[in-house]
Amino acid sequence: MREVVEKVDLAFEVNGDSVRLAVSPDATLAEALRDDLELNGTKTGCEEGECGACSVLLDGKVVNSCLVLALECGGKSVVTIEGLAREGRLHPMQEAFVNHGAIQCGYCSPGMIMTAYALRLENASPTEAEVRRALEGNLCRCTGYRKIIDAVLSLNNGESRHD
Amino acid sequence: MSAMKMYQAPRTLEEVMRAAGETGATIFAGGTDLMPRWSKEIVPRPAAVVDIKAIEGLSGIEVTDGEICIGACTLMSGLDESAALRRAAPILAEAASRIACPQIRNRATLGGNLCNASPAADTAVPLIALDAVVDVAAPGRAGATSREVSITDFFQGPGKTALEPGEVLTRVRFKRPAAVATWAWEKFGTRPAMEIAVASVGVIVEASDGVIERARVAYGSVAPTPLRGHGAEAALVGRRLTDETIGGCVAAARGEISPISDVRASAGYRREMVGVMLRRMLEDARGG
Amino acid sequence: MIKTSGDTGTVNKRGTDQESLIGGRIPKLDAPEKAVGLTRYLDDIKLPRMLYGKILYADRPHARVVDIDTSPAAAMYGVRAVITAADIELVRFGFGSDNTALKGEKVTCIRDEIAAVAADTPEIAGEAVKRIRVTYEDLPVVATIEEALASGAPVIHEGAPNNVPFRFDYDHGDIDEGVSQSDVIVEDTFSSQRVAHCCLGTSGLIAHFGPDGRLTLHSLTQVPFLYKHDLSRIVGVPPEKIRVIQPPIGGGFGSKLDVHPFEPICVFLARATGRPVRMVFTREEEFFATPTRQPMVIQLRSGAKRDGTFTFRDVRMTLDNGGRTSWGATTPWISMRTFSSLYRVPHVRQHVDVIYTNNIYACAFRGYGNPQATFALESQIDKLAHELGMDPLDIRLKNAQEPGETTGQGMVLGTCGLADCLKTAAHNAGWDVKHSGPQKPVGKSRRVRGLGMASLFHVGGGAKIYRSDGCGTILQIDDFGGVTVQTGASEIGQGSETVIAQIVAEELGLPIENIRVVNNDSDLKPWDVGVHASRTTFIAGNSALRAARQAKGKLLVAAAEKLNREPDELDLAKGNVVDRETGEPIESIGKVLRGMHFGRKNEMIQATEFYEPPSKMPDEGHKGDISACYAFGTHVAEVEVDLDTGVVRVLGISAAHDVGRVINQLGIEGQIEGGIAQGIGYTLTEEVKVEGGRVVNPSFTDYKLVTTHEVPELKLEFIETHDPAGPHGAKGVAEAPLVPVAPAIANAVYNATGVRMTDLPLTPERVLAKLNESREAERGATDG
């Protein structure tokens, strides 16, 4: 178990806001987000980097927040699922997931959406093969992935496969 | 009962070595292998970790005419996405690109993949085929000294490396393969992604007028360490890639590996897959 | 407030471009909240002063408990309670009454719960359970069915001295007659593995006693009312003092149909501490301490006449029950429906032996015992076709039932789209071209391709396994046309909430946004048997439809009175009372409602309905019309097999399902696609591996779920048979798509390679071994 250890100051940016926290040296980024900042949209499904439910962006790159120490994030910028919607409107990626039926139980959805969002930051018009590869580390047990892949592809040229 | 009480991210190697030497801090880079081991209590959570990612000069890929030099903290995604590495040593970029998934590739480092000394380490196999050496920084009286260790000597057993306490792997270097060299690397697993190799094989051959002049063969997940295939190499050098040569090479490979049976595959199947992968690579190399 | 801008053309909502909501592509109502990360799952919920619970498992398969010393744990700072079997009343529960919350005398599998701790933090609780000292006297481990049945085998439970706690028998017709009518008879043994539900959200519970002694549970259960009843007996709280709140869950798939030991344990910890206690499993616990799909060994003998007419099926099933009993032991009840009723067959016999071992045990999992049975049966039907020189499609069509037939088990097939499913799936897969002829390697490679088919039979209108299979609805309309539907049905991610809202909105002529569905609190919602047996769209849909019809009737009467018209001249559409003939809007529904409420009569519209389907409980011989309708489907799989490695890749699946009627196109596609993906995992990669009673791959690293790469090309088609019993003609569909995947793939492997795989999963290693075996046999034949 973890003894009571002295917490350490951490200053970083979360969803565009400056945040100061005191965290245990062994706290993960996922724990800091969920427990300290109540950003519970970031889910934990395995805590060993195998399921992708905790995916967030760290300085623009998608990572498993369960495999990042919170203290590593000092001075860095983190974006979570709560950081995508603007002024009460869903981000187009979130909207695509909703409208394509890419969400069932929803537990994988935040991580899935963040990973897809990260893909499109680097590749505005990914092919289906690129989408599959980008999402290969995000497990979903409900949808069978088809609608998730379709949702991401639908943002290419703003079109949907089903149109 | 263990608790991590300290996290440090120094900017110099000297500070790292001091921390590692004096307080027994665990050297930490991508954390993708260490952190699950801590949480599953496969290894105790260390009292202190020293993060080496902020140290200057430990990240990046330098490709010159003669040599390729890669910092220990270079990410797998960095290897995958480096156009220069793709040109100069595609076998390594390819192996890096097939590790786990983007989230892991954005965190896992080359040095970490090697220092974990897993028999299945995906980058070890191409690095053996590339005759790589690693630079190790050691604490010395007048600051850090450096020693060079060949990649094959670096792996001592499952989870065991040639690193002494306080030492830090800083760089990986290898000669740029000849432009004429053909290469292949493949890993076998149940799924296309998120796989720890059941077996992997890497091959680099250089031929002149159809006769193989130089060959390097390496295997992963079929011995206590990633393994160089001396026997398979010997079966190739000085020969043409005939069916007979390929058969001889495959037989040599099957003979020099020592796979085990575990939850992922049986020893027999691993041996079989090494043979299949090697045969297919050589047949592809022949172009027939 | 989050709103979708609805800019995509794939979404049809009432009042936009489509008249009816039924059959539309309606996004799930709960999806926007899930998409932005605001949905609060169990592990996101913290109650004031909440403690964290943790269980100590035996971690040995078979042993006597000699002594438990909890003092080192109890002495830890932050530990608020430590309990063992000695601290609770040991009430037996589970289908075999062979389980208790904590085990005090004997351990019969590694996951047996020995002690539990409630502490201030999860870390303290985790450390505390490790400090509990248990002295065991190990007993010989019974790791296999064979060991359990050997003479002199250790007895696992005293109630079953031969280690056979249950036997089930079923028959119709006369097997001997069937045998004598047969021109060809085939016999095989099939085996299937343990697989895990792998819900992305792990198991858990929050238990909390109020000062009045009322117990509130934040539970993931799929069956809140049965759960309340069962748990009540185990923890000694009257059912009327238990409230079950169901937060959104990270997947169900049948895993939450039983009371699992951790649940009463969590309640006992809450009682011991007087504080709320939350228990959430780690992924590792989820793998070894929750039940799996039931593994089965099925010996199947079946026959056919020369023209392909099926004659008989003789089934012998052996189940490794593990060390305790959950629903796994009863899965043959569903297997037998497939053996008796998938295609027409006059003579069927099924014998089942359920065997105790010291392995982990099984519970319900999507499809119950159907995937196992269908794997065996549809593989063997393929073999019969081969023996008779018939096309596998033709032999199936020859025996497919027609609407109106009653099966040998007494199930009445009012509507039956089986023949259509077969033809459609085959046509869409290019069966005629791709299936026939010897399969050739692809290009110069060592890979060959093949096609295989399999169908399914499943309940589609609930399953009356309890005396009631009903569901209640309470519907209220506010002054503005806002509707609150309290339904007994539970939402587990499958989209029942949306389907219910669609049905109600359609009936009341209101936009779907006006409908609020309340479905997660046993204090508010009427009774329902639970989410199982693919029953929710059918049963809860019918219940909601009837409640909405009542409400509509009241509205039309009030409107008619106000407008001096007859009720049957009026209808509701697009938020208005309209002229039934012309569709002309006359008055807004809101205005009529306010007129009722604030006018002379001071009335509001409330409607209640308890819908009980017209199905019957099976008799002692398991016969009877258990469901109000039945679902059918056919899958055709195309595979590519690597002859050197044994790797099977699924290239495509063509699926045709008799779903009665599509209510939500988007939702039903999601169910089929998800079921197929689970089916591919079941067929190719997934297995909870147990050695000597221990789970050796309790992580996603070595338990291989399919990833994005393995999803093949899918061609889905829905056969709409418009079942008169279903809401708008719909049948249930949730479990169906998983069921025929394994035999379709295995039959395709046969078509590609000539090798018939009888053991799941079809791992590369296993396929290669079979390929090598057959090559050697061929070589032997040539040499000889």
Side-chain angles (χ1 to χ4, degrees), chain C residues 743-764:
Chain C
I745 292 173
N747 290 340
V749 169
Y750 177 78
N751 184 232
T753 64
V755 161
R756 197 163 286 290
M757 300 301 300
T758 51
D759 303 304
L760 290 177
L762 312 186
T763 59

Side-chain angles (χ1 to χ4, degrees), chain C residues 561 594-603:
Chain C
E561 197 173 312
R594 290 190 292 278
M596 288 176 72
H597 183 181
F598 300 108
R600 196 163 34 87
K601 286 189 173 167
N602 297 121
E603 274 181 331

Side-chain angles (χ1 to χ4, degrees), chain C residues 113-125:
Chain C
E113 296 83 357
I114 299 297
V117 169
D120 292 354
T121 69
E123 291 78 18
I124 295 172

Side-chain angles (χ1 to χ4, degrees), chain B residues 1 40-41 188-196 263-269 272-273 276 280 287-288, chain C residues 127 130-131 444 446 642 644-645 647 685 689 696-697 699-702 704-705 707 709-710 764-765 768:
Chain B
M1 180 151 92
K40 292 170 128 183
E41 301 182 4
F188 188 84
T190 311
R191 297 182 292 195
M194 300 300 288
E195 278 293 286
I196 294 172
V263 68
R264 292 176 193 131
S266 71
Y269 187 72
E272 189 84 356
M273 288 309 100
V276 169
R280 287 181 174 181
Chain C
E127 177 63 22
K130 274 185 238 152
R131 294 193 186 183
K444 280 187 290 185
R446 295 273 297 150
D642 187 321
D644 291 335
T645 63
V647 169
T685 57
K689 296 178 184 171
V696 295
N697 60 336
S699 74
F700 283 141
T701 315
D702 286 313
K704 311 285 189 184
L705 289 179
T707 70
H709 291 288
E710 292 108 300
E765 191 160 356
L768 185 64

Side-chain angles (χ1 to χ4, degrees), chain A residues 78-96:
Chain A
V78 172
V79 182
T80 73
I81 190 69
E82 291 89 347
L84 295 196
R86 286 273 177 275
E87 292 162 7
R89 288 178 68 87
L90 299 192
H91 183 277
M93 184 63 77
Q94 294 169 320
E95 199 167 275

